[in-house]
Amino acid sequence: MTIKPIDYFISVQSVFADKNDNLWILDTGNPMLMGVIPGGAKLVKVDLKKNKILLKYFFNQQIITEKSYLNDIRLDEEKNKAYITDSGEGGIIVLDTDSGIQRKVLGKHFSTMAESGYVIKVNGKDCLGPDGKPFEVQSDGLALDTENKYLYFHALSGKTLYRVPTEALNDENLSDEVIAKEVEKVSETGAADGLASSDLGYIFATSLEDNSIKYLKSG
């Protein structure tokens, strides 16, 4: 029997456990950043109590490209929405977990792209790619505030934290241009490789350049 990419994990980047004991597993389908394998990029929902796969969501070519790298995921369980960053191409994927309808928003928008001229420094050294140029990662970390009112996001190769109202993200009638007008700059944190939120209303950002965790009050 031939095993197809849709049937196994290829390159898992992120996992997220929801409040109903489901584990959401995000597979980039892009091992070693060598390109997305057709049928490999997917989101898998697993019932942790029954140890059973409940659903698989696949991403079509209108949403991702060969260079896409699905990075992080956050769930709004009340509205049945999943938000996913594409750190390869830049942008945020909005997935309706009921209908399976998927859209990509803010693709190539400045808030989801690596900041021009920004060079990540770790232990005093520049992070450079194989070509000797600054290492660039687009939209990376995600966090939802306690009321799921705002989605916070950050490109790894950049210093700026942004947010956008989920109401705008979830409105399928809004154009990308209209959604872009709703994006707000929140703060300058330095390069952040991941975001998280707390029930007390804080947004946390991992700061890899100074080995710290930074936080701010949401709202």
Side-chain angles (χ1 to χ4, degrees):
M1 181 178 68
T2 301
I3 300 178
K4 299 180 180 180
I6 63 174
D7 297 323
Y8 64 93
F9 291 121
I10 296 172
S11 177
V12 172
Q13 169 65 25
S14 184
V15 295
F16 184 85
D18 67 23
K19 296 178 181 179
N20 294 311
D21 286 329
N22 296 308
L23 185 67
W24 298 77
I25 305 171
L26 186 63
D27 187 351
T28 70
N30 187 345
M32 303 296 290
L33 298 172
M34 298 298 290
V36 175
I37 296 172
K42 54 190 170 290
L43 176 64
V44 180
K45 180 181 180 181
V46 178
D47 185 325
L48 292 176
K49 293 180 179 179
K50 297 181 179 179
N51 193 29
K52 178 182 178 181
I53 292 177
L54 299 178
L55 290 167
K56 292 183 182 180
Y57 302 89
F58 298 93
F59 301 93
N60 58 54
Q61 294 181 343
Q62 284 71 45
I63 302 298
I64 63 171
T65 72
E66 183 184 1
K67 296 181 179 179
S68 290
Y69 194 86
L70 305 181
N71 193 296
D72 206 354
I73 177 173
R74 291 294 180 270
L75 273 295
D76 182 338
E77 297 171 58
E78 293 180 0
K79 296 184 177 67
N80 298 312
K81 300 291 184 182
Y83 307 104
I84 300 166
T85 45
D86 183 343
S87 63
E89 291 282 18
I92 297 170
I93 296 169
V94 181
L95 170 68
D96 187 303
T97 56
D98 275 344
S99 67
I101 293 174
Q102 51 191 257
R103 298 156 45 239
K104 186 173 183 180
V105 300
L106 301 176
K108 305 295 184 181
H109 186 259
F110 69 85
S111 64
T112 64
M113 300 300 291
E115 295 181 23
S116 178
Y118 191 88
V119 182
I120 300 173
K121 293 182 180 293
V122 178
N123 296 327
K125 297 182 179 180
D126 293 348
C127 288
L128 305 176
D131 57 1
K133 296 180 180 180
F135 186 62
E136 289 192 352
V137 179
Q138 324 302 336
S139 42
D140 190 294
L142 284 175
L144 280 166
D145 65 10
T146 53
E147 297 178 347
N148 294 334
K149 184 178 179 181
Y150 286 98
L151 181 72
Y152 290 77
F153 58 100
H154 200 305
L156 174 55
S157 301
K159 61 182 182 296
T160 311
L161 175 67
Y162 295 95
R163 73 178 187 178
V164 63
T166 55
E167 183 178 5
L169 293 178
N170 297 338
D171 191 338
E172 297 177 8
N173 296 315
L174 293 186
S175 67
D176 222 34
E177 291 74 18
V178 173
I179 296 174
K181 293 179 181 179
E182 298 291 325
V183 173
E184 302 175 44
K185 177 181 176 179
V186 178
S187 179
E188 292 188 359
T189 65
D193 193 24
L195 303 178
S197 60
S198 77
D199 292 339
L200 297 178
Y202 290 97
I203 302 296
F204 297 88
T206 56
S207 180
L208 73 166
E209 293 183 298
D210 57 7
N211 297 312
S212 69
I213 296 176
K214 299 176 180 178
Y215 67 94
L216 54 87
K217 190 74 173 178
S218 63

